[in-house]
Each structure stands twice: as structure tokens, then as C-alpha cells.
Amino acid sequence: MPRSGAKPAIPFVIWLLVVVSLVRWRQGSIYSGGADPVVVIKALIQCVALLVAVVVLIRTRERQPLGGRSLGLLLLIVAVSAIGAYAQGNTEASAVLAIRVVLLAATVIVVLLSFPARLAVTSLLAAMAVVGAFSAITGLGLMLSGGRLGGGIPPLSPNDIASLCGLPALGVLHEIVHGRASGRLLVIFAGLSGLVLATGSRTAIFALVAAMLVVLLQVRRPPIAVAAMVLVAVPAIFAIIAYTPTLANIVNRGDSASLVTLNSRTISWEAVLEIPFDTWERWVGSGLSVKQIAVLGQYWDEQVFDSSWISALAQAGLVGAALLALWVARTSWDSLRTPQLGTFTNGALLFILFRSVTENGLVDASVDFVVFFTLSVLLEKASARPFHPADHGPVGPKDHLAKAP
């Protein structure tokens, strides 16, 4: 299968299987080991995705060059967490999650070897949008009854829907401002952005706004239609913020209980930060299956971390958190110094990393991990060799993610 003959439907199907296998099929459950029908079915779907990707790779005559730094750092983090899990007697559940993360990384690598960067990324964003929008549409009843927009099928949380729809909205905005403005794209952008707003997910909303500003600020010669829309949108948004309670409603979400959400999170953060330095748990963590910690002085016994960085400290200790920080810093630097990719990845990484402070998933069996790992590998590839127009990736800021390979 030559590079120019890649069929867009193939990577989309692979990514769709991956996303379906990663999103929550039931709320309020944290994997702690063992197997049940849901766990088995999701594992089978993930394996099918990898199998399809491998078959495609075998049939691909011309493969994309990739580096190995991102995969190496990931394997180091997983290895450190495995040592911590063994030291804490938490091997079974952590081993299952470690295997899932490694298989996800393998799937990403195989897809990126088989397909051009632009096709791989846009297909991933499309799969995320389909799952997120379908869940949101089937869950409109919750919002109509006065709550936040949650999922129906699958029963995703508002934060999950915001995550799945936010990055695709950013990708569509990138297409629009880099020369492919059309009525269809504008409708898709408005729809995805509206779904994110309807979830009331404060972190995702603010992260998406910041990411959109980054994308817009990098446009050197915006199309006239896009410039006109921005000139109209800026005063309109200012008026909405200044003269309506919209911003206050997003921050407060209409109930006083939501104001203590961050405080509840910091309870678990403090518990993790107070782990003694003279323990294995402090240095190498307790394994990838650790998602919550016992807390004292509250009317509940355990608190979920709700932060990728606190999770890294608990799961892989100071060693794993330092490796993750190095990985994030290097990927961000690669994005900033690679303008052909950076016109999209700067904003996308900001969205992911902004949310990583108060949400889990940066190194986990999650969609956020798949996106971050995909962008990290692609940026590593782009920064490791001179850019050449013959590559079937972005051919310049105006054409990145906007021109068919």
C-alpha cells in the first residue's frame, strides 16, 4: 500500500476501536484487578485494533520513519511503576494496566508507521468526535432536566465528553483558519464547541479557549472571512462575559457544592505529597492501578487523585514523575521549534497539559494518553530530521492538517 494510496477509512476504524475500548462503559468504577464481561470485551476490542493495525503495516510497502525517545521514556515510567507495584504487593491490577498502556503505545506506533502524519492525526480526532458527540446526543435528557451534559451511550461523564470533543473542535478551527473555511466546517466547529460548553467542564472550557487563542495567534495571513469572523466574535464574547452571568455560571456551575471540588482534590494531593521519603512508595510509587488514596479527617475514606501529575507521583514515585516531566518538557520544546507541526500541536498540547493538572490520563489507558503519545512521537520524528516538502505530512503552516496527503 503506497503512501499516497492510504485509505482514510482504515486509520479511522482503528482509532474508533481504540477510543471505544478506552472510554468508560460504566460510571463510578475503578479497576482493581480481576476480569468481568466489560473488562474482557474492552480488552478484546483493543486487541482487534492492534491486530488490524499490524495487518495494515504488513501490507504497507513504504513506512514512515519514527524515533524511539517517546517510547523509551514511556517504557521507563511503566517499568518504574511495575517495581513500585511489586514492592507494595499490587502486581495483578497494575500489571494488567501496564500491559494495556504498552499495547496502546504499540498500536500508535504501528499506525504512525503505516500512515502519513496528517491522516493519522485527523483520523484520531474524527474518531474522538464521533464517540463524544454520539454519547452527548444520546445523553441530552440529563441536560434538559437541569443537569450538565452527560453521556447516554456510552455513559460518559461531562468531563469525558468535553475531552473527546475539545481537541476535534481545535482541529477543525485549525482547518478553518489555515485556508479551508467552509460552511460544513463552521457547523462542525460550532457543534463541537457547543457540546464542550454544555458539559460545564470548567477546566476543559478554559483549556480549549486558551488553545484556540494559541492557534489563532499563530496565523500569519488569515483568510478574509476568518479575520472578519474574529473581529465580530471578539466584541460579542466580551459583551457576553461582561454583561451576562455566563462566566459566573460556568465557574460556579449553579451550585455551591461545585466550589469545593478543587479543595476535595487537594486532600488527596496532600496525602500523596506527605508520603515519607524513606519509603519505596515515595521513590517508585505503587503501580498504575493506584487511582485513589485513603484520607483522614473526612466523612469519606478514599479520594481519587484527579491529577495526572499526582497520579504519576503515586503510581511511579518521584523517579516516574521526573521522567514524565522530562518527557512533557521535551515534547513541548519540539513543538515550539517545529513550526510546520506547531501550528496545531502547540494548542493541542496546551489543551492536554492544562487539563492534566486537574484530570487523570496522561500516562494511563486513556484517550488523553493516546493523543499525547501520538503527538509526542510525531514531533520527535519531525524534529529529528530536516523537513522536506515530499513528506506526506504538513507542508507548511498554511497546509498542515489542511491539505490532503
Side-chain angles (χ1 to χ4, degrees), residues 75-230:
L75 293 178
L76 282 175
I77 294 172
V78 172
V80 170
S81 71
I83 295 172
Y86 178 78
Q88 299 298 319
N90 181 34
T91 55
E92 180 184 348
S94 292
V96 171
L97 289 175
I99 292 172
R100 287 201 68 189
V101 169
V102 172
L103 290 178
L104 284 172
T107 304
V108 171
I109 293 294
V110 173
V111 171
L112 297 183
L113 284 170
S114 303
F115 299 100
R118 184 257 177 194
L119 180 56
V121 173
T122 53
S123 299
L124 174 56
L125 296 179
M128 293 169 60
V130 167
V131 175
F134 185 81
S135 178
I137 292 171
T138 56
L140 283 175
L142 178 63
M143 186 181 70
L144 295 177
S145 63
R148 298 166 60 191
L149 177 60
I153 304 174
L156 303 180
S157 69
N159 289 346
D160 293 333
I161 293 176
S163 175
L164 289 173
C165 295
L167 276 175
L170 186 68
V172 174
L173 175 65
H174 186 277
E175 294 275 287
I176 292 172
V177 300
H178 285 281
R180 290 195 61 188
S182 68
R184 181 178 65 87
L185 287 180
L186 289 173
V187 170
I188 295 174
F189 172 72
L192 292 173
S193 301
L195 291 177
V196 175
L197 187 63
T199 64
S201 177
R202 292 168 294 196
T203 303
I205 292 172
F206 293 135
L208 182 59
V209 171
M212 287 179 176
L213 289 175
V214 168
V215 169
L216 291 173
L217 290 174
Q218 293 179 102
V219 180
R220 296 179 180 178
R221 297 179 181 178
I224 296 177
V226 173
M229 285 187 294
V230 171

Side-chain angles (χ1 to χ4, degrees), residues 342-357:
T343 55
F344 172 72
T345 58
N346 289 338
L349 288 173
L350 176 62
F351 180 81
I352 295 170
L353 298 178
F354 191 106
R355 292 175 54 253
S356 71
V357 177

Side-chain angles (χ1 to χ4, degrees), residues 359-378:
E359 295 182 24
N360 292 317
L362 201 55
V363 179
D364 197 1
S366 68
V367 177
D368 280 352
F369 164 71
V370 170
V371 177
F372 175 69
F373 187 70
T374 298
L375 297 182
S376 176
V377 172
L378 289 177

